Amino acid sequence: MGLFSKRKNNKPDQSANDGPPLPPPPPPQTAPNGTKTDERRLPPRSNSFFRRSSKASSSQASAAQLQALTHKVSIPVPPLPQEDPVGYLRSLNAVRERSSLVYSKALSNQLTHFKVDMGKFEETAAYVVSIIKRDYGSDYASIPPHGRWQHFEAGGVRRLDQMMREWSAEVDTKERTRRLLDLFLVSVLLDAGAGTTWRYKDEAGRIFARSEGLAIASLEMFKAGLFSSDDDQPCQVDAAGLADLNIDIIRDGLQVSNNNPIEGLEGRANILLKLSGALSDNQNFFGDNGRPGNMLVPMERLLNVRFAGMELLTGLPEYRNGGLLMDTGLLVLRSQDVRRGLDQFQENSRSEGQQSMEVVPLFTADDDVVVEWRAVTVGMLDRMLDEVNRQLGLSGEGRLSLAQMLEAGTWKGGREIAEVSRPNTRGPPIMIISDGTVF
């Protein structure tokens, strides 16, 4: 199954689309080390690197801990928007509820900035399904949730496992979890769009870009102690260590130069400095030394903890998932916004180091076009999940979760169709001016 339904001539129906034919899923890309990164599957992990003094006692403790932590937890009802608008917007419920207002307009093709062709919806879902089946066959249960962990393993290298094996056997599970929470927080905060030209060479000489490059860069900075104030413990993040950062340290850590520019360098440095202040100002959560890991919400991957309210989390409305909807023709930017975005692209391209090839509309992150695009993407991903599960024939507990669909389907599919649609930059159909703080 591809983006389009099977037909005798094996070509897509162009009757509802004035543009060029949409490409089938491209073959896996070859990494600099010669491995096909999208094709390579890693065997299941072993948690043997966690050292415990007594297998029997630890099994009993783990069972008791798991039972205590995975029982049904009620989620507090969010405040009413008319009574506490800020509190409501900060609640888990708000993103999906507010986005649903935009999505309902999309269903009747009444969006301000985009035309919506729901006739493309099932074909877009079929494209996502084809990506999932190509990479996982029918082993859907093995699909991991979309998250930072997968970015750390770019190129088929288990960097986190390697790092944790280097830690002393005296480092217990809780401290390992603290260290990973430290790492993941700073890594995600550095993960705003890097632009189309930035690259990172890892310690083994392999070259990566975008989210994978940023993940590996942050991991190597973490291992080098750039975020720690304790010389004896480089693998941690603390308030004092972050306070010592400056733009030059971040520039060197990300290997940024005139020939290797990154978008939003100053913004990335500033957000880590602001994190330092937040950690220092909230010692009741982060301890006297201001470590993110001191909040120790145990990671599901390490301690088998389940989090309440997971069903309230929405899909990531960034340019890969949103770009998929545009590159498949499900969303089409209206002509007046195309003209405005292209004018802004041309103006921006005159600046030194800015992209001037593969012209696409460009907007600031707070432009109404981007706000509407992101909001409708949240709603479309929810509905896409239902359709993907239907086409896969999955129901009940066997259904894919939203995070699994993003990992194996929409996010990956959005990246791959961008590589075919814009092969020089592999960028999204809409560019967003990044200051290093927008995700």
Side-chain angles (χ1 to χ4, degrees):
M1 299 176 71
L3 176 60
F4 23 89
S5 303
K6 288 185 178 179
R7 296 183 176 85
K8 289 183 179 180
N9 62 2
N10 204 30
K11 292 182 180 180
D13 181 3
Q14 292 294 299
S15 59
N17 181 15
D18 294 332
L22 293 165
Q29 299 296 311
T30 301
N33 63 353
T35 62
K36 294 182 177 179
T37 57
D38 287 335
E39 184 180 51
R40 184 166 180 173
R41 298 281 303 282
L42 295 172
R45 284 186 185 80
S46 167
N47 284 340
S48 60
F49 44 76
F50 296 121
R51 303 290 192 267
R52 295 184 174 93
S53 58
S54 169
K55 290 184 179 179
S57 62
S58 94
S59 297
Q60 294 170 357
S62 296
Q65 182 184 46
L66 186 60
Q67 184 176 6
L69 291 171
T70 60
H71 68 279
K72 180 70 174 178
V73 179
S74 298
I75 301 297
V77 177
L80 295 174
Q82 60 268 31
E83 294 180 359
D84 182 4
V86 174
Y88 168 74
L89 291 174
R90 287 176 172 172
S91 71
L92 286 173
N93 306 66
V95 174
R96 182 170 277 113
E97 289 179 359
R98 302 306 296 177
S99 296
S100 68
L101 301 177
V102 180
Y103 177 64
S104 64
K105 294 287 188 182
L107 293 178
S108 55
N109 197 19
Q110 293 182 348
L111 294 181
T112 302
H113 303 288
F114 292 89
K115 293 184 287 185
V116 183
D117 182 0
M118 291 304 292
K120 299 287 188 183
F121 186 82
E122 289 190 11
E123 293 183 352
T124 301
Y127 176 78
V128 172
V129 167
S130 72
I131 297 288
I132 294 172
K133 287 186 172 181
R134 181 198 70 193
D135 293 344
Y136 289 91
S138 59
D139 188 15
Y140 308 127
S142 69
I143 299 174
H146 185 70
R148 201 58 167 162
W149 198 295
Q150 279 64 251
H151 294 154
F152 287 126
E153 295 185 342
V157 180
R158 287 182 169 166
R159 295 175 181 83
L160 295 183
D161 289 5
Q162 291 173 354
M163 175 181 68
M164 288 187 282
R165 282 196 295 268
E166 295 171 359
W167 294 343
S168 166
E170 302 303 316
V171 180
D172 63 17
T173 301
K174 286 187 177 181
E175 175 58 22
R176 289 167 184 266
T177 306
R178 289 189 187 95
R179 293 182 185 185
L180 291 181
L181 285 170
D182 286 350
L183 167 62
F184 274 63
L185 181 59
V186 293
S187 183
V188 169
L189 289 178
L190 288 171
D191 193 37
T196 59
T197 59
W198 177 80
R199 299 290 184 271
Y200 183 82
K201 181 184 290 187
D202 73 3
E203 55 194 9
R206 291 165 293 211
I207 298 175
F208 298 91
R210 302 186 183 277
S211 289
E212 290 85 354
L214 289 166
I216 295 167
S218 63
L219 174 61
E220 294 187 354
M221 293 164 72
F222 176 77
K223 291 167 61 178
L226 265 63
F227 310 122
S228 174
S229 64
D230 186 348
D231 292 339
D232 295 327
Q233 181 42 266
C235 290
Q236 72 175 36
V237 175
D238 58 64
L242 294 174
D244 286 339
L245 295 174
N246 56 51
I247 193 170
D248 292 328
I249 294 173
I250 301 300
R251 179 186 290 111
D252 291 343
L254 296 177
Q255 300 176 357
V256 175
S257 67
N258 290 337
N259 296 324
N260 189 36
I262 193 171
E263 293 184 1
L265 177 63
E266 184 175 356
R268 292 171 209 273
N270 287 338
I271 202 170
L272 293 184
L273 291 174
K274 290 179 180 179
L275 174 61
S276 171
L279 295 172
S280 296
D281 294 343
N282 293 275
Q283 293 184 3
N284 54 324
F285 293 114
F286 304 114
D288 293 341
N289 60 349
R291 278 186 67 185
N294 283 338
M295 63 182 173
L296 195 55
V297 179
M299 290 182 63
E300 182 174 354
R301 203 160 202 154
L302 300 186
L303 300 182
N304 292 318
V305 173
R306 299 296 184 267
F307 297 102
M310 292 288 286
E311 71 281 358
L312 298 178
L313 299 179
T314 65
L316 189 65
E318 45 70 85
Y319 64 79
R320 291 307 184 196
N321 291 310
L324 172 71
L325 304 180
M326 293 187 65
D327 281 335
T328 59
L330 183 53
L331 297 180
V332 178
L333 190 63
R334 295 189 183 275
S335 57
Q336 67 271 21
D337 292 302
V338 171
R339 290 192 295 271
R340 182 167 65 89
L342 292 178
D343 288 344
Q344 292 178 161
F345 180 96
Q346 295 293 352
E347 179 66 27
N348 187 68
S349 68
R350 297 188 183 101
S351 302
E352 184 177 354
Q354 294 299 316
Q355 176 185 328
S356 59
M357 65 176 70
E358 291 185 335
V359 177
V360 295
L362 178 144
F363 302 96
T364 58
D366 60 349
D367 192 288
D368 200 53
V369 166
V370 176
V371 174
E372 186 176 78
W373 186 29
R374 292 170 69 103
V376 74
T377 297
V378 170
M380 287 288 184
L381 289 173
D382 281 345
R383 180 163 176 175
M384 187 70 64
L385 177 63
D386 291 336
E387 179 61 21
V388 165
N389 276 311
R390 186 191 71 80
Q391 293 190 21
L392 289 172
L394 302 178
S395 60
E397 293 184 358
R399 286 168 52 90
L400 292 184
S401 68
L402 184 59
Q404 286 178 303
M405 182 188 73
L406 265 62
E407 172 63 22
T410 56
W411 192 89
K412 183 184 290 185
R415 167 176 281 189
E416 292 190 9
I417 201 170
E419 291 173 349
V420 174
S421 302
R422 291 165 295 279
N424 290 316
T425 63
R426 303 180 180 182
I430 288 179
M431 281 185 61
I432 300 175
I433 297 176
S434 174
D435 65 353
T437 63
V438 178
F439 302 92

